[in-house]
Amino acid sequence: TTAVERMMSARPILTRVTTARDVICGMKDNLLLHAGPPIDCEQMSGPMRGAVIGGLIFEGLAKDEAAAVGMVKAGEIEFSPCHEHSSVGPMAGVITASMKVYEVENVTHGNKAYCNLNEGYGKVLRYGAYSDEVIAKLRWMNNVMGPIMADALAARENGIDIRALLAESLHM
């Protein structure tokens, strides 16, 4: 009953787009957040391992697949479930320190949550793809789309009411 009451009274507001390392508690350059429970890289699915490789290339920590795999095997990279950092995991993908993230604030209860920007369909990091075109799209999202979205949200005095959008979509 308490859980349902909290969900029903929640008022999630999309407040800004910002950089993961600046807002996600405990985020650091060699930490990759992932969906699901705690897991060692060897136990990760193929798509999640691909997302790890792509995330390390995107961050500039590794120049290619071999370097990324080497860093993981050497223990240079840490992994943690998104839910332990007030974040939502992108399917089999990862959240890295410099990725732009949405910040949603529950103005009723005062908590905040984060999610990285959706890449759309096709070859995407959350499906384990990490080709040059995937990395280029991630960089465009971070350097062009993210700042434009951040400016648009900053221009709105009260953010975007997610609950109102959900209610409207259910009626449609």
Side-chain angles (χ1 to χ4, degrees), residues 17 100-102 115-119 138 141-142 145-146 149:
V17 172
K100 296 297 184 199
V101 293
Y102 294 110
C115 181
N116 60 353
L117 308 181
N118 187 306
E119 305 163 75
L138 289 171
M141 289 173 61
N142 238 41
M145 186 179 84
M149 292 177 69

Side-chain angles (χ1 to χ4, degrees), residues 32-35 37-53 72 77-81 92-94:
L32 274 66
L33 304 182
H34 60 80
I39 190 169
D40 292 326
C41 194
E42 300 79 35
Q43 313 292 275
M44 290 179 178
S45 67
M48 189 175 285
R49 276 185 263 142
V52 166
I53 292 166
V72 170
I77 304 303
E78 297 177 27
F79 300 98
S80 186
V94 295

Side-chain angles (χ1 to χ4, degrees), residues 3-128:
V4 170
E5 286 173 358
R6 282 187 63 93
M7 285 189 293
M8 296 304 291
S9 67
R11 186 160 169 248
I13 304 294
L14 175 59
T15 55
R16 65 181 172 157
V17 172
T18 189
T19 305
R21 84 166 52 80
D22 295 339
V23 292
I24 296 177
C25 185
M27 195 68 192
K28 53 188 177 179
D29 290 345
N30 71 329
L31 175 64
L32 274 66
L33 304 182
H34 60 80
I39 190 169
D40 292 326
C41 194
E42 300 79 35
Q43 313 292 275
M44 290 179 178
S45 67
M48 189 175 285
R49 276 185 263 142
V52 166
I53 292 166
L56 294 174
I57 293 170
F58 168 75
E59 286 294 322
L61 296 173
K63 64 178 179 149
D64 57 26
E65 177 183 353
V69 170
M71 292 180 76
V72 170
K73 286 184 178 180
E76 298 172 30
I77 304 303
E78 297 177 27
F79 300 98
S80 186
C82 286
H83 64 268
E84 291 182 5
H85 298 268
S86 299
S87 300
V88 177
M91 299 186 75
V94 295
I95 298 176
T96 66
S98 69
M99 282 184 176
K100 296 297 184 199
V101 293
Y102 294 110
E103 179 180 80
V104 176
E105 180 178 358
N106 176 356
V107 295
T108 303
H109 302 291
N111 56 310
K112 295 179 181 179
Y114 308 94
C115 181
N116 60 353
L117 308 181
N118 187 306
E119 305 163 75
Y121 297 109
K123 293 180 184 177
V124 292
L125 190 68
R126 72 178 184 277
Y127 293 154

